[in-house]
Amino acid sequence: MSSIDNDDLIDDSDDGAGAPKVPLSQRAMGAALGARSAPYMDGLNPAQREAVETLNGPVLMLAGAGTGKTKALTTRIAHLLTTGSARTNEILAVTFTNKAAREMKERVAGLLGQTVEGMPWMGTFHSICVKLLRRHAELVGLKTNFTILDTDDQIRLMKQLIAANNIDEKRWPARLLSGVIDNWKNRAWTPETLPSSEAQAFNGRGPELYTQYQDRLKTLNACDFGDLLLHMVTIFQQHDDILAKYQSWFRYILVDEYQDTNVAQYLWLRLLAAGHKNICCVGDDDQSIYGWRGAEVGNILRFEKDFPGAKVVRLEQNYRSTAHILAAASGVIAGNADRLGKELWTEAEGGEKVRLIGHWDGDEEARWVGEEIEAMQSGTRGMAPKSLDDMAILVRASHQMRAFEDRFLTIGLPYRVIGGPRFYERLEIRDAMAYFRLAVSQDDDLAFERIVNTPRRGLGDKAVQTIQMLARTNGVSLVEGARIAVESGAIKGKGGKGLAELVGNLDRWFNQLRAEADTHIEMAEMILEESGYTTMWLNDKTPEAPGRLENLKELVKALESFENLQGFLEHVSLIMDNDTDDAEEKVTIMTLHGAKGLEFPAVFLPGWEDGLFPSQRSMDESGLKGLEEERRLAYVGITRAEEVCTISFAANRRVYGQWQSQLPSRFVDELPEDHVEVLTAPGLYGGGYGGMSGDFGGQSPLEDKASRADAYNSPGWKRMQAQGALRSKPSPNEAKGLVIDATAVSSFTQGDRVFHTKFGYGTVMGIEGDKLDIEFDKAGAKKVVSKFIVPAAQAGDVPF
DNA sequence: AGCCTCCTAATTTTT
DNA sequence: TTAGGAGGCT
């Protein structure tokens, strides 16, 4: 059972792609000596080149934000292949996200000028582990066709366990248990190796529940995400022969985002690399923001100790942001101890300072950001007009998005929210998937429980309990239990009829699927139809129903790229993509976490207030470590910006319905003064609001002046005012000559045909000062400053 | 079985 | 404030 032949490793049925017909290495061997001049090396800076060319031995590539780490990583792979150091299927390249893996594949292909079909071991930790685990499943008590549970299934299982153990779910919720167990798995602790220090977890019941949970998974022939890694680590640790085989097979190992690895992933990598130690880890300790999920910054900090003699290459030249933005980011991150230390620099000159602005409350902040975005879009800010696609609002917590959504809805500014529930996490998708899972395997008890009464079949708690009892006493699956219930007439009336129909359907689907697996798309549609699931949503009058039906259609469409249902189900649990690339230009709203790895010309960072960012909870729970992670989050946020970075905070914010006065974030204080421009909001520094307290009436966020005064007396606030006071009264934009001279206003009149570089041709509908209301032929109605408008005739337009 | 009302908790979420 | 879950009522 532990014999693996190499064909096994070359095979890549999971990816639908076999080993390349002609290994790249053979083709390219001759290029080894000439690698220095290989075209794919063009444009690498010395550090990148070093990271690419140091093929053997451990390498730590410390790649700061925007320093071209993907370029270095992919070029390194191209180099490995071209020099004949490894064949495509001998390189293990691990990422965290499918997106990153895809991008890497594409770019390697691009570098080599051909598609790289044969890189079966380039993928996420999880997808690679699934592949491995399917080969060795029996070693951890699973069958090779085990299913992968998602979080929802996990929680439902835990709920059952908690109830079975007579634990008060109110005081000890399933989510908590799930978190505890996840944590243990992240640290590679099995029920057997769980240290005694954890004995008190979950009211002292944690360890036993962990054991029960794992047993339950085994009987279900299932595992959760954490198990994928954990099982492989266990297998590697207990079976030297298997480990040895993979150690020699994977001749080179590359790891992306190494700072985000948890203990299990770290052990997995260390085991695999122990032989040749040809491991190249890429990461940035300053961008470690997933500690709460088990990531250990320590892994990257310790690399040189783990791999003595490791070559450390620092990528510090930044190709993304202006010098001011980099300096601001550096200034903030300097507050962290225990860094490996990097200093980003750029050849780029000029650029705006990071802009800082305070607001009265969250609504005003949203209003201001909206106006600012419109100004940038039309070019009013004195820069070239920007597309909405080039702007992003990055928030600490998703509830902050709402204020912006509300505001943008009001002013009709198109936006796109990234995050939220993923496609495969939606209720209707999970339900449909449960039907598919049952059609493939009737042993899937969790799937059965999920859909047994969806749509309603008159099967309530009591009926389900009967089925469960029958299944347990006969030692069979729930579907079998249901069959017994039907045959014995244990469930009567409407429910009995409904159950009989369901069982009959399941059998029919199962048989038909076996007979004609290739008609899986029609089958899927049929299953949803015959089960009554589609009808259920058709009859549903709630506003979500049409969207859900739409999603179901999407799901069926997604089947097209798979050969059968089985294959689809195997992959889908690992693919949580939902890239919706709509054509319309939109502002992006997302969390800071979600923005890692992305970049935007203009970035807004609102809500920089102590308690919100850095988050109070983070600091309460993890103390200094938590604060440092928040600071790295700030660093990530600032370094997303290419040209303009705007940080803002509000003096008052509604928190859980209660108005609270907020202090500017301590990170505001940490921004280096020389690289920050304080924008004076008219309402705050001009004293506008101060004299109008009465106007707030009952609406006033703060009723008494004393507490408001407190808000203005915080260290951060004082510092703000001090900075503001250093500036002479004219607004910063005026000082820079960016304000448009109103006297220069145009000679346009209503009805004129005009041209705008971004929006194209249009007709002037109205005039307000220096702003023109223009109805653009393509872009619709826009307010644009006349400075950016030329008469259409000059641009060669043919008037109608 | 399904609706309604009360209670409680409330970050971040690559797979 | 609000959303989701649990428990009670019809």
Side-chain angles (χ1 to χ4, degrees):
Chain A
M1 69 178 173
S2 54
S3 85
I4 317 150
D5 58 67
N6 287 350
D7 290 344
D8 205 22
L9 285 155
I10 296 170
D11 173 60
D12 178 43
S13 48
D14 285 351
D15 246 8
K21 304 262 161 10
V22 181
L24 284 163
S25 50
Q26 286 175 20
R27 184 181 52 75
M29 273 300 243
L33 291 176
R36 217 148 243 295
S37 55
Y40 58 79
M41 293 283 234
D42 288 353
L44 291 184
N45 66 37
Q48 288 171 331
R49 187 170 274 258
E50 189 179 11
V52 165
E53 291 181 337
T54 313
L55 294 181
N56 292 310
V59 175
L60 177 62
M61 200 194 300
L62 282 175
T67 55
K69 99 186 155 165
T70 309
K71 184 176 182 183
L73 201 48
T74 50
T75 309
R76 186 183 164 89
I77 293 173
H79 197 53
L80 279 169
L81 294 172
T82 309
T83 55
S85 307
R87 288 181 289 167
T88 48
N89 51 13
E90 293 170 333
I91 297 173
L92 176 65
V94 228
T95 63
F96 275 84
T97 65
N98 291 306
K99 199 171 147 202
R102 210 181 315 127
E103 190 187 344
M104 209 186 275
K105 278 189 185 176
E106 282 164 10
R107 289 182 61 171
V108 170
L111 285 172
L112 295 172
Q114 67 167 81
T115 48
V116 186
E117 294 287 346
M119 297 240 10
W121 302 107
M122 181 182 286
T124 63
F125 276 102
H126 296 267
S127 68
I128 287 170
C129 279
V130 173
K131 261 190 222 179
L132 296 174
L133 190 55
R134 292 219 186 270
R135 292 178 175 165
H136 307 290
E138 81 280 2
L139 297 177
V140 287
L142 293 172
K143 287 186 266 174
T144 185
N145 64 342
F146 61 84
T147 51
I148 302 162
L149 301 192
D150 57 33
T151 331
D152 202 60
D153 291 326
Q154 254 184 79
I155 301 278
R156 280 189 302 138
L157 244 176
M158 305 246 182
K159 275 191 177 158
Q160 292 174 8
L161 287 178
I162 287 169
N165 282 272
N166 291 317
I167 295 168
D168 181 6
E169 227 242 87
K170 275 219 165 130
R171 294 197 51 187
W172 301 97
R175 305 196 66 84
L176 184 68
L177 179 62
S178 167
V180 169
I181 291 179
D182 267 354
N183 245 321
W184 288 341
K185 289 186 175 178
N186 286 338
R187 291 181 203 187
W189 288 331
T190 63
E192 292 76 37
T193 63
L194 193 65
S196 53
S197 58
E198 303 296 307
Q200 291 316 306
F202 206 71
N203 204 23
R205 308 291 297 275
E208 54 178 307
L209 286 164
Y210 186 19
T211 307
Q212 289 177 27
Y213 175 67
Q214 291 307 98
D215 286 347
R216 193 86 184 84
L217 286 180
K218 216 175 276 182
T219 35
L220 287 166
N221 188 30
C223 66
D224 60 25
F225 284 126
D227 281 338
L228 296 175
L229 264 300
L230 182 54
H231 284 328
M232 280 321 297
V233 169
T234 307
I235 289 170
F236 285 159
Q237 283 172 339
Q238 293 176 355
H239 301 270
D240 291 344
D241 52 338
I242 293 179
L243 175 63
K245 206 81 189 181
Y246 288 109
Q247 281 178 337
S248 58
W249 184 263
F250 296 134
R251 302 180 61 172
Y252 290 90
I253 300 175
L254 295 96
V255 190
D256 194 15
E257 306 280 15
Y258 188 62
Q259 77 283 351
D260 289 339
T261 51
N262 62 32
V263 175
Q265 288 156 340
Y266 162 77
L267 288 176
W268 187 83
L269 288 168
R270 213 180 58 173
L271 284 162
L272 283 171
H276 49 60
K277 301 194 171 63
N278 290 332
I279 182 168
C280 172
C281 293
V282 186
D284 180 358
D285 50 319
D286 292 334
Q287 291 188 70
S288 166
I289 54 175
Y290 285 106
W292 51 276
R293 252 180 78 178
E296 292 276 344
V297 213
N299 292 344
I300 195 167
L301 301 177
R302 228 184 24 244
F303 188 85
E304 288 174 88
K305 285 202 191 92
D306 288 335
F307 296 98
K311 179 147 212 164
V312 179
V313 182
R314 283 182 163 74
L315 266 45
E316 298 178 295
Q317 181 175 4
N318 177 292
Y319 299 97
R320 177 188 294 160
S321 313
T322 65
H324 284 308
I325 290 170
L326 292 183
S330 298
V332 171
I333 200 65
N336 275 4
D338 280 337
R339 297 174 56 220
L340 289 169
K342 272 180 283 74
E343 196 67 44
L344 294 182
W345 60 276
T346 177
E347 284 176 351
E349 286 174 17
E352 281 194 60
K353 292 184 176 181
V354 168
R355 311 183 310 158
L356 180 63
I357 182 166
H359 299 284
W360 173 250
D361 63 15
D363 290 340
E364 193 198 290
E365 183 181 51
R367 201 177 314 133
W368 186 84
V369 169
E371 280 165 16
E372 203 55 20
I373 287 172
E374 287 182 327
M376 285 186 182
Q377 189 188 15
S378 58
T380 319
R381 275 197 64 269
M383 309 180 74
K386 280 189 169 42
S387 159
L388 293 179
D389 288 337
D390 290 340
M391 306 179 213
I393 298 164
L394 310 181
V395 297
R396 173 71 242 279
S398 38
H399 66 251
Q400 292 172 260
M401 295 178 179
R402 198 162 159 174
F404 293 96
E405 290 192 66
D406 283 352
R407 182 63 195 159
F408 295 171
L409 242 24
T410 310
I411 61 176
L413 185 68
Y415 66 89
R416 145 192 328 119
V417 171
I418 308 276
R422 286 172 173 53
F423 184 71
Y424 289 102
E425 282 173 358
R426 289 164 204 230
L427 177 92
E428 64 277 15
I429 300 304
R430 291 183 177 213
D431 286 343
M433 298 282 295
Y435 274 106
F436 298 163
R437 276 157 62 183
L438 277 172
V440 168
S441 157
Q442 299 201 345
D443 290 334
D444 200 327
D445 285 0
L446 284 166
F448 181 80
E449 276 174 20
R450 179 169 191 109
I451 53 85
V452 65
N453 199 33
T454 310
R456 302 263 124 91
R457 298 188 174 91
L459 295 158
D461 284 349
K462 230 172 115 209
V464 172
Q465 272 169 26
T466 309
I467 295 169
Q468 276 169 340
M469 194 264 290
L470 284 168
R472 205 169 323 123
T473 51
N474 290 285
V476 292
S477 69
L478 289 181
V479 174
E480 284 308 309
R483 199 189 311 281
I484 296 169
V486 170
E487 285 164 3
S488 66
I491 296 169
K492 298 185 180 32
K494 202 170 117 212
K497 237 183 109 193
L499 191 62
E501 198 190 325
L502 176 64
V503 173
N505 277 338
L506 286 176
D507 288 342
R508 205 157 28 76
W509 298 333
F510 180 76
N511 289 326
Q512 197 167 335
L513 211 50
R514 292 191 94 170
E516 14 183 345
D518 53 327
T519 61
H520 62 293
I521 297 173
E522 293 77 26
M523 282 292 301
E525 276 170 337
M526 194 185 83
I527 290 170
L528 295 180
E529 202 53 54
E530 293 185 355
S531 60
Y533 193 71
T534 316
T535 318
M536 178 181 103
W537 289 117
L538 283 171
N539 293 338
D540 192 302
K541 311 169 288 298
T542 55
E544 304 89 73
R548 296 195 193 274
L549 285 164
E550 217 28 65
N551 289 335
L552 290 173
K553 271 191 205 145
E554 284 268 320
L555 179 69
V556 173
K557 219 172 116 202
L559 285 170
E560 284 171 13
S561 38
F562 291 87
E563 278 171 23
N564 52 49
L565 257 189
Q566 178 89 56
F568 177 68
L569 294 176
E570 272 178 23
H571 274 259
V572 105
S573 44
L574 293 175
I575 300 168
M576 287 289 194
D577 278 336
N578 66 331
D579 281 344
T580 45
D581 43 54
D582 30 14
E584 198 192 351
E585 288 184 6
K586 288 171 177 173
V587 183
T588 301
I589 306 176
M590 68 197 308
T591 63
L592 288 162
H593 284 91
K596 194 169 82 160
L598 303 179
E599 57 189 14
F600 299 90
V603 166
F604 291 89
L605 302 169
W608 280 43
E609 296 139 38
D610 253 33
L612 184 60
F613 186 45
S615 130
Q616 191 58 51
R617 185 145 167 194
S618 200
M619 294 187 289
D620 289 347
E621 280 175 9
S622 315
L624 184 62
K625 263 186 85 180
L627 176 64
E628 293 204 333
E629 183 152 313
E630 295 286 305
R631 192 175 280 119
R632 291 193 289 267
L633 212 38
Y635 175 80
V636 167
I638 297 169
T639 53
R640 296 312 93 193
E642 294 169 1
E643 298 163 31
V644 194
C645 177
T646 310
I647 294 169
S648 61
F649 55 90
N652 300 286
R653 197 174 287 276
R654 225 194 320 223
V655 181
Y656 304 139
Q658 299 284 88
W659 280 103
Q660 272 192 9
S661 63
Q662 300 283 99
L663 305 184
S665 168
R666 65 196 70 192
F667 300 150
V668 167
D669 293 340
E670 294 171 8
L671 294 166
E673 255 176 89
D674 292 349
H675 302 283
V676 173
E677 173 186 24
V678 179
L679 304 183
T680 49
L684 280 174
Y685 300 102
Y689 285 103
M692 318 167 18
S693 58
D695 292 351
F696 284 102
Q699 301 275 93
S700 173
L702 287 175
E703 299 297 344
D704 66 306
K705 286 178 184 161
S707 61
R708 183 177 326 147
D710 283 342
Y712 293 117
N713 280 328
S714 76
W717 190 261
K718 277 188 175 160
R719 190 155 174 280
M720 272 291 300
Q721 288 191 306
Q723 285 193 354
L726 290 176
R727 288 159 205 288
S728 51
K729 268 299 127 189
S731 84
N733 279 351
E734 270 172 331
K736 286 190 197 158
L738 292 178
V739 168
I740 284 78
D741 180 0
T743 59
V745 178
S746 59
S747 34
F748 294 111
T749 54
Q750 207 168 340
D752 280 358
R753 285 292 286 168
V754 293
F755 178 79
H756 182 277
T757 48
K758 181 95 202 168
F759 303 129
Y761 295 103
T763 308
V764 177
M765 305 308 280
I767 300 166
E768 272 176 50
D770 64 328
K771 290 203 193 89
L772 304 175
D773 274 327
I774 297 169
E775 181 69 36
F776 287 101
D777 301 347
K778 296 265 166 58
K782 298 251 180 327
K783 257 192 193 159
V784 183
V785 172
S786 59
K787 185 176 170 181
F788 299 102
I789 298 296
V790 294
Q794 279 179 30
D797 179 42
V798 184
F800 3 57

